[in-house]
């Protein structure tokens, strides 16, 4: 359909003193203006000129454009087919070569040549090793507010045994997730963006986007949780000294808001300050842990005993080993939801895109549970002599009577009541307080940094609307200052809740949802067998990932079933939005691999299924040329194939023999994007051939895959057949013959205004069935961006009619295609009318027969018209118009014998002999009469579908085109000439 130009390639430059240009001769076997010598057709071996000038010369001993493998050839590559740094194209290696000297200095390398004087090198961002970036960050998140302030209380509620189980479950979930994240991290080069970047680039934007938003939000809420823990400790200190600001609840809010504001200032100061602060906090926490362990072995003072601490006692351990549920949180999964956020710190390093390590340190329930009783009053007056009557509880054996407060449930101390038990147990209480400050502030600071980093990367990818504002970065590390402010606002909102036990379950729900998605995504990537999924992490198992996903989902529903439904509802909405919008990103994800696997499996599976009429689908090969040049033809076929069957847009690129092949993948990509922008579900394919007919033959025979093969050839009506070159006319009609030979149905589309809009698009190429007038190609990069031409098939048709002239039984294709169009919304209000030929004295009987047949087909066509006047003689002026139409193509041989006629027609097979005119006179008059009927009955229809005559082989192409011209001329609505391959496409049988 289009003639390919002979394009010149720019010279392929190599480092060194010379460059190598790719040249083409102007003619086959001839020499162009830069024609090389005979020896230059291959890589030149001239050691006197080129020895030692390039690495390739030194490696192979002769000059070659080909290069040795290098890292930079693969770095920063965009995708398959895109140009990569330093590697020559196939054309550079395969074409004729010419060596010329470069005017640049032989010592000037490519980097020196490209450098601009006076420019300073870009500042490198701050990088952190695994200690600062991962280990310290993870440990600080794990050694956080829950460990200090809630683990002793959880031990009192659940007992040591169930607390171990809670810890084991949390570690299992986070460890499996850590292994999955480690696998993703080693599946490619990791950039900023944390968990979102890892998931989206390995597993696709659909899952990555939903995980990124949830994970960023969970981290923002975690800022509030850790800050509230800090504020709670400060409040307790103020309460002990009777120095409350307002009241216990509002003090937490005031202290929390002030604290998170200070942390925001540290974060805005940059990652370097944040990392230094984390190291200081880490050292303080280590000292506090040592202080705590030392305190457990120091004999208890009277003050500590009054608060329930008695050092290590076997009977205390035994009593605290079993649960003692109290209060509204007194259940296993309620406590699990409060504890679980302490284990989520395993991804703190990943949020700044580092490696992962599974942290330890959550076994401090054992020392506390073996040293402290559940209830204590804190009053020294409750001491008593051993064996005193009226004392109940384990403390009686140690000389303390806490019976009164235990019965009234008013004890202020003990594991069940005092959140600062670790401070009380330690050797030096202020160190534990410092540890709590360090743990809570460091964790809050880490989450305050993590959430904006994840969210910034998500915003920059523009997967969701209205969030791009937060993607802007500042400074060397591209700090997400706007993201910090958003996280700050979210954190303040949750700080106002002022209740740690209420905030922690919210975080658990979202983190568990994220972990479930991460593990399932990794499992999905493993089972898709994607060649791109090849992590170097050895300890990853897809079955472990599946188990991690399953257990996360189960725990979510066991915690709070309605919250789990809300979380998954949000995920499904976010996932559906990305699937619907199809953002312009291509990261080579497992979702793409899965789509390929599914398509491949189903395509292979179709080969095992026997064809049946009930499963017939109109699978169309549409000769569109460049699809944007014939939008009406594309829209027409897309109307009835969308979500139903195969549509393949074919383009024949006409090129002389042995001409250089074009970069057809680039052109095809532009046409495919144009189809996607127009919301046409179709494929595009092109072939290079010496002429149109041979190219179409290639498409007819090779298009499709297995049972997914076209069975209908759709093309536009050739309006200029009378003025076109005779060979073009022969090729056009020959294509119709070829389609029937390969058992294709044929569908011709004619519109009054024509189909080709290339002139409207101001294109330089005429992609019709003639060769191009000049050799200029349309720039494929502009195809997807150009303004979309509107067609009748994109607009609502209202209450018009679709008229079907089922003149010949072609198997039912003439009925099926209009029926499929009538099912679409834009054509749904149209009334479908069926016209058939008949005799005037049998009109009612013939109508009943057709109505009965149509009802058995279940097509819903109830308006049937019999055309009794179809055999009437057409009007004389219309007959004369047909005779004038074929007059330029007649031989006027005077009914000579066949041998003389063949001799006269030699070299012009499209000519019509007098005998052929006379022999086909009745058929010709039938087309004239049918046109009169169409003008009478269907002048105002929305669409006309008619069964055209079949031109037998040997029938002159000009005569056949005259029939089609006469049949469809002067009609305002689009005319669809449909002819099936005489095999049934409709059935009324159940078997």
């Amino acid at each position: 359909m289009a003639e390919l130009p002979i394009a010149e390639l720019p010279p392929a430059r190599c480092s060194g003193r010379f460059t190598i240009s790719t040249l083409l001769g102007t003619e086959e076997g001839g020499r162009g203006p830069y024609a090389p010598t005979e020896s230059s057709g291959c890589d030149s071996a001239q050691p006197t000129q080129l020895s030692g000038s390039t690495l390739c010369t030194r490696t192979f001993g002769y000059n070659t454009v080909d290069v040795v493998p290098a890292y930079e050839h693969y770095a920063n590559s965009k995708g398959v087919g895109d140009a990569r740094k330093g590697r020559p194209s196939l054309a550079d290696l395969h074409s004729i070569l010419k060596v010329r000297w470069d005017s640049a200095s032989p010592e000037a390398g490519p980097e020196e040549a490209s450098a601009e004087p006076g420019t300073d090198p870009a500042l490198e961002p701050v990088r952190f090793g695994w200690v600062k970036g991962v280990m310290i960050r993870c440990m600080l998140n794990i050694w956080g507010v829950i460990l200090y302030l809630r683990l002793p209380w959880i031990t009192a509620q659940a007992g040591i045994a169930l607390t171990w189980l809670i810890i084991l479950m949390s570690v299992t979930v986070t460890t499996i997730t850590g292994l999955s994240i480690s696998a993703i991290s080693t599946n490619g080069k990791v950039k900023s963006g944390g968990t979102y970047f890892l998931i989206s680039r390995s597993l696709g934007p659909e899952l990555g986007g939903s995980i990124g938003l949830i994970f960023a939000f969970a981290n923002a809420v975690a800022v509030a949780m850790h800050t509230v823990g800090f504020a709670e400790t400060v409040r307790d200190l103020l309460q002990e000294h009777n120095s409350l600001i307002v009241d216990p609840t509002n003090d937490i809010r005031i202290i929390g808001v002030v604290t998170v504001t200070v942390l925001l200032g540290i974060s805005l100061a940059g990652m370097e300050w944040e990392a230094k602060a984390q190291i200081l906090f880490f050292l303080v926490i280590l000292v506090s842990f040592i202080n705590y362990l030392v305190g457990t072995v120091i004999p208890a003072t009277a003050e500590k005993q009054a608060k329930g601490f008695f050092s290590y006692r076997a009977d205390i351990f035994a009593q605290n080993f079993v649960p003692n549920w109290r209060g509204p949180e007194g259940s296993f999964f309620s406590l699990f939801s409060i504890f679980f956020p302490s284990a989520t710190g395993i991804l703190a390093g990943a949020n700044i895109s580092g490696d992962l390590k599974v942290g330890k340190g959550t076994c401090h329930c054992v020392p506390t549970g073996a040293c402290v009783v559940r209830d204590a009053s804190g009053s020294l007056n409750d001491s008593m002599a051993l064996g005193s009557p009226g004392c109940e509880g384990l403390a009686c054996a140690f000389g303390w009577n806490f019976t009164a407060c235990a019965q009234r449930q008013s004890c202020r101390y003990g594991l069940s009541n005092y959140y600062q038990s670790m401070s009380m147990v330690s050797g030096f209480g202020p160190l534990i307080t410092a540890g709590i400050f360090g743990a809570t502030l460091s964790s809050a600071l880490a989450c305050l940094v993590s959430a904006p980093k994840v969210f910034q990367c998500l915003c920059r990818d523009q997967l969701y609307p209205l969030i791009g504002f937060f993607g802007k970065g500042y400074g060397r590390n591209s700090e997400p200052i706007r993201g910090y402010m958003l996280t700050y606002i979210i954190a303040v909102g949750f700080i106002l809740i002022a209740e740690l036990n209420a905030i922690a379950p919210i975080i658990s729900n979202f983190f568990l949802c994220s972990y479930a998605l991460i593990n399932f995504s990794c499992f999905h990537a493993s089972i898709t067998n994607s060649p791109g999924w090849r992590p170097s992490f050895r300890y990853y198992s897809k079955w472990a990932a599946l188990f991690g996903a399953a257990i996360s989902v189960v725990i979510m529903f066991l915690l709070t079933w309605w919250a789990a439904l809300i979380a998954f509802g949000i995920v499904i909405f976010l996932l559906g939005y990305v699937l619907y919008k199809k953002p312009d990103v291509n990261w080579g994800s497992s979702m793409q691999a899965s789509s390929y696997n599914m398509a491949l499996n189903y395509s292979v599976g179709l080969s095992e299924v026997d064809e049946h009429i009930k499963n017939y689908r109109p699978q169309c090969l549409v000769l569109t040329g460049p699809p944007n040049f014939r939008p009406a033809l594309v829209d027409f076929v897309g109307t009835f194939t969308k979500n139903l069957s195969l549509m393949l847009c074919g383009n024949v690129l006409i090129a002389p023999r042995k001409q250089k092949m074009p970069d057809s993948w680039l052109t095809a990509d532009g046409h495919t994007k144009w189809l996607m922008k127009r919301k046409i579900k179709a494929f595009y394919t092109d072939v290079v051939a010496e002429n149109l007919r041979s190219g179409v033959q290639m498409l007819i025979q090779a298009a499709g895959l297995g049972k997914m093969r076209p069975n209908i050839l759709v093309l536009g009506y050739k309006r200029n057949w009378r003025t076109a070159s005779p060979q073009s006319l022969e090729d056009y009609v020959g294509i119709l013959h070829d389609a029937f030979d390969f058992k294709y149905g044929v569908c011709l589309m004619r519109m009054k205004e024509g189909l080709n809009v290339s002139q409207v698009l101001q294109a330089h190429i005429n992609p019709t069935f003639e060769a191009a007038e000049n050799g200029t190609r349309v720039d494929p990069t502009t195809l997807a961006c150009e303004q979309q031409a509107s067609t009748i098939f994109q607009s609502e048709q209202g209450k018009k009619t679709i008229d079907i002239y089922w003149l010949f039984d072609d198997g039912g294709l003439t009925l099926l295609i209009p029926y499929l169009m009538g099912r679409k919304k834009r054509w749904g209000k149209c009334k479908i009318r069926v016209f058939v030929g008949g005799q005037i004295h049998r009109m009612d009987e013939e109508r009943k027969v057709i109505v009965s047949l149509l009802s058995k087909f279940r097509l819903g066509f109830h308006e049937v018209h019999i055309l009794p006047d179809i055999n009437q003689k057409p009007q004389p002026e219309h007959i004369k118009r047909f005779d004038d139409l074929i007059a330029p193509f007649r031989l006027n041989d005077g009914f000579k014998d066949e041998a003389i006629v063949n001799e006269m027609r030699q070299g012009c097979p499209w000519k019509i002999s007098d005998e052929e005119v006379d022999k086909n006179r009745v058929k010709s008059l039938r087309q004239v009469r049918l046109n009169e009927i169409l003008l009478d009955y269907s002048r105002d229809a929305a669409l006309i579908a008619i069964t055209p005559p079949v031109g037998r082989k040997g029938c002159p192409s000009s005569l056949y085109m005259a029939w089609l011209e006469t049949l469809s001329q002067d009609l305002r609505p689009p005319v669809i000439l449909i002819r099936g391959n005489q095999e049934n496409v409709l059935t009324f049988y159940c078997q």
Side-chain angles (χ1 to χ4, degrees):
M1 297 182 187
E3 182 176 337
L4 295 181
I6 300 177
E8 293 185 2
L9 293 177
R13 297 190 176 273
C14 301
S15 60
R17 295 180 295 171
F18 62 92
T19 60
I20 300 178
S21 301
T22 304
L23 301 174
L24 288 169
T26 55
E27 297 180 2
E28 180 185 350
R31 301 192 180 278
Y34 302 97
T37 61
E38 291 295 324
S39 61
S40 64
C42 303
D43 289 348
S44 177
Q46 301 180 16
T48 57
Q49 291 183 344
L50 306 174
S51 177
S53 60
T54 64
L55 175 61
C56 298
T57 304
R58 294 194 301 270
T59 302
F60 298 105
Y62 64 94
N63 173 51
T64 175
V65 181
D66 219 341
V67 294
V68 296
Y71 170 83
E72 57 268 20
H73 299 165
Y74 297 90
N76 300 321
S77 60
K78 295 181 179 179
V80 177
D82 290 347
R84 294 185 174 91
K85 181 179 178 182
R87 183 186 301 157
S89 69
L90 182 60
D92 293 331
L93 300 177
H94 193 237
S95 303
I96 301 173
L97 303 179
K98 178 184 178 182
V99 179
R100 65 181 176 86
W101 293 99
D102 195 348
S103 59
S105 171
E107 288 79 13
E111 296 178 0
E112 297 172 341
S114 61
E116 296 183 4
T119 58
D120 297 327
L123 292 176
E124 287 293 327
V126 179
R127 303 296 184 188
F128 303 106
W130 71 272
V131 175
K132 281 187 182 181
V134 181
M135 188 194 75
I136 291 179
R137 200 170 294 273
C138 288
M139 300 308 290
L140 287 175
N141 271 265
I142 293 171
W143 297 338
V145 60
I146 302 299
L147 178 66
Y148 278 100
L149 299 181
R150 290 298 182 269
L151 186 58
W153 172 77
I154 291 173
T155 304
Q157 291 265 9
I160 295 174
L162 292 183
T163 302
W164 278 347
L165 181 59
I166 289 174
I167 295 171
L168 178 63
M169 290 173 57
S170 301
V171 171
T172 299
V173 172
T174 54
T175 300
I176 292 175
T177 306
L179 295 175
S180 298
I181 287 292
S182 298
I184 300 175
S185 300
T186 59
N187 194 50
K189 188 175 181 180
V190 179
K191 298 181 180 179
S192 62
T195 307
Y196 161 71
F197 182 88
L198 298 174
I199 297 295
S200 61
R201 268 50 175 185
S202 292
L203 308 176
E206 303 85 1
L207 293 170
S210 56
I211 292 175
L213 272 180
I214 290 176
F215 207 76
F217 179 76
N219 274 278
V221 178
V223 175
M225 182 189 73
H226 294 295
T227 305
V228 167
F230 170 81
E232 185 180 286
T233 303
V234 176
R235 187 275 317 268
D236 291 343
L237 291 174
L238 294 176
Q239 199 168 16
E240 287 182 6
H241 295 84
N242 296 319
S243 302
L244 289 176
I245 304 172
V246 181
D247 57 63
T249 301
N250 284 314
D251 280 10
I252 292 178
R253 293 169 178 158
I254 294 171
I255 297 168
V257 171
V258 172
T259 302
V260 78
T261 304
V262 173
L263 294 178
L264 176 65
I266 296 175
S267 300
L268 293 177
M271 288 287 292
E272 291 180 282
W273 285 95
E274 187 265 351
K276 292 176 181 178
Q278 296 286 29
I279 295 176
L280 177 61
F281 291 146
F282 182 72
L283 295 176
V284 171
I285 291 174
L286 285 179
V287 173
S288 71
F289 280 158
I290 296 172
N291 171 58
Y292 163 73
L293 294 175
V294 170
T296 60
V297 297
I298 296 177
T301 63
E303 290 80 5
K304 289 187 176 182
Q305 288 183 357
K307 295 179 180 180
F309 172 64
F310 298 97
S311 295
Y312 288 99
R313 301 294 178 96
D315 44 0
I316 296 179
F317 178 85
Q319 185 186 57
N320 290 336
F321 193 79
V322 295
N324 182 21
W325 309 113
R326 298 183 186 183
E329 294 95 358
S331 67
F332 177 83
F333 285 104
S334 294
L335 296 178
F336 177 89
S337 67
I338 294 174
F339 174 81
F340 185 74
S342 69
T344 59
I346 196 167
L347 296 182
N351 287 337
I352 60 169
S353 299
D355 298 322
L356 297 174
K357 275 287 184 179
V358 180
K360 301 177 181 179
T362 54
C363 295
H364 295 284
C365 62
V366 176
T368 308
C371 299
V372 185
V373 295
R374 285 191 169 105
D375 295 297
S377 64
S379 174
L380 294 174
N381 296 327
D382 288 336
S383 63
M384 68 171 193
L386 293 176
S388 298
C391 182
E392 297 179 3
L394 185 61
C396 299
F398 309 131
W400 292 87
N401 186 0
F402 302 136
T403 306
C405 73
Q407 291 177 347
R408 295 193 304 267
Q409 297 183 354
S410 61
C411 296
R412 291 183 55 195
Y413 296 94
L415 289 182
S416 297
N417 311 292
Y418 190 46
Y419 290 147
Q420 303 289 340
S421 295
M422 286 185 65
S423 178
M424 181 263 296
V425 169
S426 66
F428 183 61
L431 281 179
I432 295 298
T433 302
I436 295 175
F437 288 174
T440 53
L441 294 177
S442 64
S443 298
L445 191 57
C447 293
L448 187 58
V449 171
S450 299
K453 289 287 185 182
V454 174
F455 192 59
Q456 180 189 40
C457 187
L458 177 62
C459 294
R460 286 178 171 176
D461 289 336
Q462 298 181 347
L463 299 183
Y464 301 105
L466 307 178
I467 62 174
F469 173 80
F470 298 98
K472 183 175 177 58
Y474 298 86
R476 285 188 293 172
N477 275 36
S478 188
E479 294 292 339
I481 294 178
R482 296 174 180 177
Y484 285 141
M485 300 306 300
L486 178 63
T487 304
Y488 171 78
I489 294 172
I490 295 173
V492 168
F494 279 89
I495 285 172
L496 296 180
I497 297 175
E499 179 54 56
L500 185 62
N501 291 357
I503 300 174
I506 299 174
I507 300 173
S508 297
N509 188 64
F510 282 103
F511 271 117
L512 282 169
C513 182
S514 299
Y515 290 175
L517 291 174
I518 290 170
N519 286 302
F520 177 77
S521 301
C522 290
F523 172 76
H524 180 268
S526 300
I527 63 174
T528 55
N529 297 319
S530 171
W533 176 252
R534 46 182 186 274
S536 59
F537 187 70
R538 296 183 300 168
Y539 304 106
Y540 165 76
S541 168
K542 62 181 179 182
W543 302 115
L546 179 62
F547 175 75
I551 195 174
S552 298
V553 173
V554 170
I555 293 175
M556 282 183 66
F557 281 92
L558 290 176
L559 294 181
T560 312
W561 63 268
W562 55 268
L565 289 178
I566 292 175
F568 280 110
I570 294 173
V571 170
I572 292 173
F573 172 78
L574 296 174
L575 180 65
Y577 180 85
V578 176
L579 288 173
Y580 174 75
K581 283 296 184 180
K582 295 181 176 60
D584 187 18
V585 294
N586 184 13
W587 298 324
S589 68
S590 66
M591 296 294 288
Q592 296 171 342
S594 177
S595 300
Y596 175 85
N597 285 352
M598 291 177 62
L600 179 62
N601 292 333
Y602 282 125
S603 297
V604 174
L606 278 177
S607 301
E608 302 174 0
V609 179
D610 293 334
E611 294 182 355
H612 194 277
I613 302 172
K614 288 192 293 185
N615 293 327
Y616 174 86
R617 294 170 184 265
Q619 304 188 123
C620 299
L621 170 60
V622 192
L623 299 184
T624 59
N628 60 314
F629 285 178
R630 292 185 176 81
L633 189 61
V634 171
D635 291 340
F636 161 65
V637 180
T639 300
F640 65 84
T641 60
K642 184 178 182 180
N643 300 325
L644 174 73
S645 59
L646 173 69
M647 175 179 174
L648 198 153
C649 297
N651 184 14
V652 178
L653 303 172
I654 301 173
R657 185 168 172 263
K658 291 187 179 180
Q659 179 174 315
K660 183 185 75 69
M661 305 296 286
D663 293 331
S664 60
W665 64 268
L666 182 61
T667 308
D669 184 62
H671 292 312
T672 301
K673 288 181 178 179
W674 182 88
L675 291 169
M676 293 173 62
K677 183 178 179 181
R678 203 171 181 85
K679 297 182 179 180
I680 298 294
K681 295 187 177 181
F683 298 97
Y684 170 84
T685 185
D686 51 36
V687 295
V688 179
E690 295 186 2
N691 56 70
L692 172 68
R693 186 173 181 181
S694 62
V696 174
Q697 288 173 344
M698 295 178 192
L699 289 172
I700 289 176
Q701 296 180 79
L705 179 67
K707 293 293 180 67
M708 301 286 290
R709 296 177 59 85
N711 50 34
I712 300 175
L713 181 69
V714 184
L715 65 165
Y717 178 75
K718 188 173 181 64
R719 300 176 68 205
N720 63 341
W721 65 273
R722 284 170 288 179
T723 58
S725 64
Q727 186 58 48
S728 173
L729 176 61
E730 284 287 289
D731 284 348
Y732 183 84
V733 177
I735 288 172
L736 303 180
H737 290 303
D738 294 336
F740 289 129
D741 286 342
F742 289 107
K743 294 188 176 181
Y744 272 58
V746 171
C747 180
L748 298 175
M749 179 178 178
R750 182 175 185 179
M751 296 183 66
K752 185 176 182 180
E753 61 274 16
L755 296 175
N756 191 346
V757 298
S758 59
Q759 296 299 326
V760 179
L761 298 177
Q762 296 180 350
H764 300 288
I765 186 172
N766 180 13
T768 57
F769 293 105
E770 289 76 34
E773 296 178 1
N774 54 49
T776 307
R777 280 190 296 167
V778 178
D779 182 9
T781 60
T782 63
L783 291 178
C785 301
E786 70 182 24
Q787 184 177 1
Q788 297 278 348
S790 178
T791 68
I792 187 175
F793 299 98
Q794 293 180 315
S795 58
E796 294 286 342
Q797 297 303 309
K799 296 182 179 181
K800 298 180 181 179
T801 63
I802 298 176
D803 292 349
I804 304 174
Y805 288 82
W806 194 25
L807 305 178
F808 307 100
D809 191 353
D810 60 345
L813 187 63
T814 306
L815 297 173
L816 180 62
I817 289 182
Y819 164 74
L820 294 176
M821 293 191 65
R823 294 173 61 184
K824 302 301 180 181
K825 183 178 179 181
R826 293 189 179 99
W827 298 78
K829 296 180 182 179
C830 291
K831 182 192 301 182
I832 298 181
R833 304 188 299 179
V834 180
F835 296 84
V836 294
Q839 300 179 6
I840 191 170
H841 59 279
R842 299 183 64 228
M843 285 180 56
D844 292 339
E845 180 180 348
E846 291 180 349
R847 184 181 182 278
K848 289 179 181 179
V849 171
I850 297 299
V851 169
S852 175
L853 179 61
L854 295 178
S855 64
K856 290 181 180 180
F857 285 148
R858 306 176 307 283
L859 295 176
F861 302 161
H862 301 296
E863 188 167 341
V864 177
H865 298 269
I866 305 299
L867 301 174
D869 52 353
I870 194 172
N871 293 318
Q872 292 181 3
K873 188 175 182 180
Q875 298 179 17
E877 61 269 24
H878 294 157
I879 298 176
K880 181 179 184 304
R881 184 170 63 173
F882 175 79
D883 291 337
D884 294 340
L885 184 65
I886 64 174
F889 301 95
R890 295 188 61 170
L891 274 175
N892 298 317
D893 55 285
F895 294 94
K896 293 183 172 61
D897 59 37
E898 184 177 355
I900 298 176
V901 170
N902 289 337
E903 184 178 352
M904 293 177 63
R905 195 158 52 184
Q906 188 174 5
C908 49
W910 55 89
K911 290 288 187 176
I912 312 170
S913 68
D914 292 346
E915 183 180 356
E916 288 169 333
V917 172
D918 185 65
K919 183 174 60 176
N920 293 289
R921 189 65 178 175
V922 175
K923 194 171 185 177
S924 300
L925 293 179
R926 172 63 62 87
Q927 314 312 315
V928 178
R929 178 56 189 154
L930 285 174
N931 180 253
E932 294 176 348
I933 293 174
L934 291 172
L935 290 172
D936 289 340
Y937 288 94
S938 302
R939 187 182 299 273
D940 297 323
L943 181 73
I944 300 174
I946 185 170
T947 312
V950 175
R952 294 184 179 276
K953 292 182 179 180
C955 176
S957 57
S958 56
L959 178 58
Y960 183 68
M961 289 303 300
W963 290 341
L964 299 183
E965 177 73 22
T966 300
L967 178 63
S968 58
Q969 65 186 351
D970 298 335
L971 293 171
R972 183 197 60 79
V975 180
I976 312 299
L977 304 170
I978 308 174
R979 188 79 198 206
N981 63 357
Q982 303 304 110
E983 294 183 1
N984 289 346
V985 300
L986 298 172
T987 182
F988 45 77
Y989 290 107
C990 293
Q991 294 180 351

